[in-house]
C-alpha cells in the first residue's frame, strides 16, 4: 500500500493474494519503481505509458504500475519496447531490465535498439548479480565479487571483466541520453530522480533512446544488511561503475519523424505493381507452400506467385522459412492469397504444395489439406502412402527446364504447370508480368524463363 506515490496502484493485489511488494528490505527496485511511478503521474503520462516488465526480481511490475503493462521474456524487454514504440509512436514506452536480463541474455537486443536510437526509455538496474535466481554471477559482477557461481570471487582472467554498459552505449551515435545513477542514499536518489524524469521527458517529446543505469543494493544476495549494502554500493560499486552522465543531447535532439511503414512485399521484390488489393469475400483464402533445396529457386517461385496475386488485386503474404543450412539445405516459403486481409502468413495445411525435392515431399505431403494438391517432380518417386483425399500430381519440371536449355529454371517450369493445372487462381498475364519483374535486374533471362513457362504449360496441358 502506498498512498503517496501516484502512478502506482493503491494496493498491490497479486494473484496469490499478496498485497504488499515482492521486494526484500533494502532492495533498490522499490525505490526506482517509486521514482518512475511518480514521474509518469506528475507529468500526466500514465495514460500514454506502456511499461515493459522484465524477467528477474522485477518481473511483477504490472502489479505496481498503474499504466499499460506488457511482460517480456527474459532479456527481450528492449525488443518488445522497440515493437511497441514503433507501432504506437505516440506512447511513452519504458523498458525495465536487470543486469542479468539486459547485460547477458538480452544484451544484443538492448545494444541494437540503442544503436538504432529506438524511442523508449530503458532503465537498467545494476545490482551486480542475478538476484531472483539466487545470486549467480552477472556480467556486471565486480572483480573479486563472490557469488554462488564464483565462490572464490570473480576471476577476470576466467570470467571476463564487469560489463560497463553506459560506457559501451556511449560509443554509439544514436542514443540521446545516457546516465548512471544510484539509489543507495538520499543525495543519490535525488540525482536518480532527475535522471528518471529526464529519460521520460525524452520519450514524452519523442526524442529517441534514453538509458539510465541505476546502481541498486541487493542485501539478500550480497549477504549484507541494508545499511551495509548501501555503503557497499557507494564505496565499492561506484569504483567500477562511476556515476555520471555519459551522453546528453536532450536539448538539441530533434523530435523524431514517425517511422515509415514497414517493408512491403512490393519493396522486397523491388518492383511494386502499385495495384491495391480489392475486397472479395467470395475468394476466401488460399494457402500454398513451396519447398525444396536452397538454391532451387523455391523462395523466388513463391515471390513470383505472391507478386502475381498482388497484381491480380488479391491480398497476399509471402513468408520464407530458411533452414539452418547454407545453399543446398532445406528451404520453403508460404504464400497466402485472399479476398480479404491476410490474418496469418503461415500455412500449416496448404491447399497446394510444390515439393521440389524428396525431403520436402516427404516432410510436407502429409500436411496438405483434404482436397488439396501436391505437385512434384517424378524423379522423386513417392515411397509413402499419399495422404487420403489429396491429389498427387507428378510433373517433369526438371526435364522440361532442361529441354528448354535452362536447367536452372525448374521453378519456372513448376509455375507453368501450376497455371496449366488450374492451381493458381491468377490470370496468366499477371503471372508473366510478375515473372518478368523478378528478372528485372537480369533482362536476358526473361525470355528464357517465358519459354520455360510456356513449354511447361504445354507439357502439363498435354498430360491432363
Ligand atoms: C530464457 C530464460 N533463461 C533463464 C531464466 C532464469 N532467470 C530468471 S531471472 C534471471 C536473472 C535475473 O537477474 P537480473 O536480470 O539481474 O534481475 P534481478 O533478479 O537481479 O533483479 C534468470 C537467469 C529465465 N526465466 N528465462
Amino acid at each position: 500500500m502506498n498512498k503517496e506515490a501516484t502512478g502506482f496502484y493503491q494496493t498491490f493485489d497479486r494473484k496469490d493474494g499478496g498485497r504488499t511488494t515482492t521486494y526484500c528490505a533494502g532492495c533498490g527496485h522499490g525505490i526506482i519503481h517509486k521514482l518512475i511511478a511518480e514521474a509518469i503521474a506528475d507529468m500526466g503520462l500514465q495514460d500514454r505509458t506502456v511499461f515493459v516488465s522484465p524477467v528477474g526480481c522485477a518481473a511483477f511490475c504490472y502489479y505496481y504500475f498503474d499504466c499499460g503493462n506488457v511482460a517480456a521474456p527474459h532479456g527481450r524487454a528492449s525488443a518488445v519496447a522497440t515493437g511497441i514504440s514503433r507501432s504506437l509512436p505516440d506512447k511513452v514506452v519504458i523498458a525495465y531490465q536487470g543486469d542479468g536480463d539486459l547485460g547477458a541474455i538480452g544484451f544484443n537486443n538492448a545494444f541494437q535498439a540503442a544503436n538504432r536510437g529506438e524511442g523508449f526509455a530503458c532503465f537498467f538496474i545494476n545490482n551486480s548479480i542475478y538476484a531472483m535466481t539466487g545470486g549467480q554471477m552477472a556480467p556486471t559482477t565486480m572483480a573479486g565479487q563472490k557469488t554462488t557461481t564464483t565462490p572464490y570471487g570473480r576471476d577476470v582472467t576466467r570470467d571476463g571483466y564487469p560489463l560497463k554498459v553506459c560506457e559501451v552505449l556511449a560509443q554509439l551515435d544514436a542514443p540521446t541520453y545516457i546516465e548512471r545513477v544510484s539509489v543507495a542514499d538520499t543525495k543519490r536518489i535525488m540525482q536518480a530522480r532527475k535522471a528518471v524524469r529526464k529519460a521520460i521527458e525524452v520519450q514524452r517529446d519523442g526524442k529517441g533512446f534514453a538509458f539510465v543505469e541505476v546502481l541498486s543494493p541487493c542485501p539478500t544476495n550480497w549477504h549484507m544488511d541494508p545499511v551495509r549494502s548501501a555503503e557497499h554500493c557507494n564505496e565499492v560499486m561506484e569504483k567500477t561503475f562511476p556515476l555520471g552522465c555519459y551522453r546528453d543531447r536532450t536539448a538539441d535532439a530533434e523530435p523524431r519523424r514517425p517511422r515509415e511503414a514497414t517493408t512491403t512485399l512490393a519493396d522486397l521484390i523491388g518492383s511494386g505493381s502499385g495495384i491495391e488489393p480489392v475486397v472479395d469475400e467470395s475468394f476466401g483464402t488460399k494457402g500454398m507452400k513451396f519447398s525444396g533445396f536452397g538454391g532451387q529457386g523455391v523462395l523466388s517461385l513463391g515471390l513470383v506467385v505472391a507478386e502475381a496475386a498482388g497484381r491480380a488485386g488479391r491480398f497476399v503474404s509471402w513468408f520464407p522459412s530458411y533452414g539452418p543450412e547454407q545453399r543446398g539445405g532445406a528451404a520453403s516459403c508460404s504464400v497466402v492469397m485472399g479476398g480479404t486481409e491476410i490474418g496469418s502468413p503461415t500455412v500449416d495445411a496448404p491447399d497446394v504444395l510444390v515439393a521440389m525435392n524428396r525431403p520436402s515431399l516427404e516432410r510436407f505431403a502429409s500436411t496438405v489439406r483434404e482436397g488439396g494438391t501436391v505437385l512434384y517432380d517424378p524423379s522423386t518417386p513417392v515411397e509413402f502412402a499419399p495422404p487420403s483425399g489429396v491429389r498427387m500430381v507428378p510433373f517433369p519440371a526438371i526435364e522440361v527446364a532442361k529441354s528448354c536449355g535452362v536447367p536452372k529454371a525448374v521453378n519456372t517450369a513448376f509455375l507453368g504447370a501450376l497455371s496449366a493445372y488450374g492451381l493458381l487462381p491468377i490470370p496468366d498475364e499477371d503471372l508473366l508480368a510478375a515473372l518478368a519483374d523478378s528478372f528485372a535486374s537480369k533482362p536476358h533471362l526473361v525470355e528464357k524463363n517465358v519459354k520455360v513457362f510456356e513449354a511447361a504449360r504445354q507439357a502439363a496441358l498435354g498430360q491432363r
Side-chain angles (χ1 to χ4, degrees):
M1 179 93 163
N2 190 323
K3 288 218 170 67
E4 286 163 32
T6 45
F8 279 147
Y9 291 116
Q10 282 302 300
T11 55
F12 306 142
D13 294 331
R14 300 203 305 279
K15 255 197 320 229
D16 63 2
R19 292 169 74 85
T20 58
T21 89
T22 39
Y23 299 116
C24 310
C27 168
H29 275 304
I31 301 170
I32 304 161
H33 282 22
K34 186 164 174 176
L35 296 178
I36 298 172
E38 279 179 351
I40 55 174
D42 289 355
M43 290 184 215
L45 297 172
Q46 257 173 288
D47 289 347
R48 269 178 68 193
T49 300
V50 182
F51 195 104
V52 186
S53 307
V55 167
C57 285
F60 295 125
C61 285
Y62 49 82
Y63 285 128
Y64 306 131
F65 289 94
D66 187 4
C67 61
N69 285 282
V70 174
H74 196 21
R76 300 293 169 257
S78 282
V80 172
T82 296
I84 295 170
S85 77
R86 283 189 175 210
S87 52
L88 301 169
D90 58 321
K91 299 293 177 220
V92 167
V93 182
I94 294 175
Y96 187 102
Q97 304 192 246
D99 47 357
D101 190 77
L102 184 147
I105 189 170
F107 187 76
N108 193 40
N109 282 196
F111 182 69
Q112 302 294 349
N115 192 40
R116 294 188 304 265
E118 297 293 347
F120 65 90
C122 186
F123 294 109
F124 172 54
I125 316 309
N126 179 355
N127 55 13
S128 79
I129 209 153
Y130 284 20
M132 193 199 91
T133 41
Q136 296 85 0
M137 185 188 81
T140 44
T141 294
M142 286 166 297
Q145 185 182 339
K146 289 185 179 160
T147 68
T148 56
T149 45
T150 54
Y152 303 108
R154 180 176 189 158
D155 172 354
V156 294
T157 61
R158 183 192 55 206
D159 310 320
Y161 288 83
L163 191 62
K164 300 179 181 188
V165 179
C166 283
E167 287 84 338
V168 173
L169 298 190
Q171 304 307 309
L172 305 175
D173 290 331
T176 303
Y177 174 58
I178 303 173
E179 179 151 0
R180 182 182 289 124
V181 293
S182 160
V183 288
D185 63 24
T186 316
K187 192 179 100 202
R188 288 170 170 81
I189 292 172
M190 292 321 286
Q191 184 56 33
R193 182 173 183 272
K194 280 193 205 152
V196 164
R197 284 174 183 248
K198 199 163 193 170
I200 294 174
E201 277 164 15
V202 170
Q203 303 321 308
R204 180 197 60 197
D205 302 340
K207 288 185 171 179
F209 185 77
F211 187 83
V212 177
E213 174 172 342
V214 188
L215 304 189
S216 171
C218 179
T220 302
N221 287 291
W222 294 354
H223 306 292
M224 298 172 190
D225 65 38
V227 174
R228 182 73 205 99
S229 332
E231 286 165 2
H232 175 82
C233 210
N234 297 347
E235 290 158 17
V236 181
M237 269 187 93
E238 283 186 21
K239 288 208 172 75
T240 302
F241 301 110
L243 304 188
C245 185
Y246 288 79
R247 165 79 52 84
D248 189 353
R249 295 192 186 139
T250 51
D252 47 1
E254 288 290 318
R256 287 139 47 95
R257 279 181 295 115
R259 287 181 190 271
E260 302 288 319
T262 44
T263 314
T264 64
L265 188 63
D267 299 331
L268 208 58
I269 299 168
S271 61
S273 57
I275 295 165
E276 289 296 320
V278 181
V279 174
D280 171 8
E281 308 258 353
S282 67
F283 184 82
T285 56
K286 195 170 180 71
M288 306 188 69
K289 191 167 256 308
F290 302 90
S291 56
F293 285 129
Q296 275 186 313
V298 173
L299 303 185
S300 350
L301 174 57
L303 269 177
V304 170
V305 170
E307 162 78 4
R311 284 177 172 271
R314 300 299 174 200
F315 292 87
V316 65
S317 66
W318 172 81
F319 187 61
S321 161
Y322 305 94
E325 309 83 353
Q326 324 86 321
R327 213 167 174 79
S332 72
C333 67
S334 302
V335 172
V336 182
M337 52 188 99
T340 52
E341 269 192 46
I342 307 300
S344 164
T346 57
V347 175
D348 294 327
D351 294 286
V352 175
L353 168 70
V354 177
M356 290 172 61
N357 67 358
R358 178 194 289 253
S360 57
L361 181 63
E362 287 171 355
R363 175 152 169 228
F364 294 120
S366 62
T367 67
V368 175
R369 70 160 186 77
E370 213 178 322
T373 305
V374 178
L375 191 60
Y376 66 102
D377 194 283
S379 63
T380 301
V382 179
E383 286 168 355
F384 54 91
S388 76
V390 170
R391 191 158 63 112
M392 300 290 293
V393 181
F395 177 74
I398 297 176
E399 207 181 288
V400 170
K402 231 190 243 167
S403 70
C404 294
V406 203
K408 276 193 173 164
V410 177
N411 53 355
T412 304
F414 273 120
L415 188 69
L418 283 168
S419 149
Y421 290 130
L423 295 170
L424 284 178
I426 300 173
D428 271 355
E429 64 193 67
D430 291 322
L431 283 178
L432 286 165
L435 186 64
D437 250 4
S438 74
F439 291 106
S441 60
K442 299 175 195 152
H444 64 287
L445 292 179
V446 175
E447 204 182 314
K448 289 181 176 172
N449 275 273
V450 171
K451 188 174 154 196
V452 174
F453 179 85
E454 293 298 351
R457 263 186 65 80
Q458 292 312 319
L461 290 171
Q463 217 183 47
R464 279 210 302 194

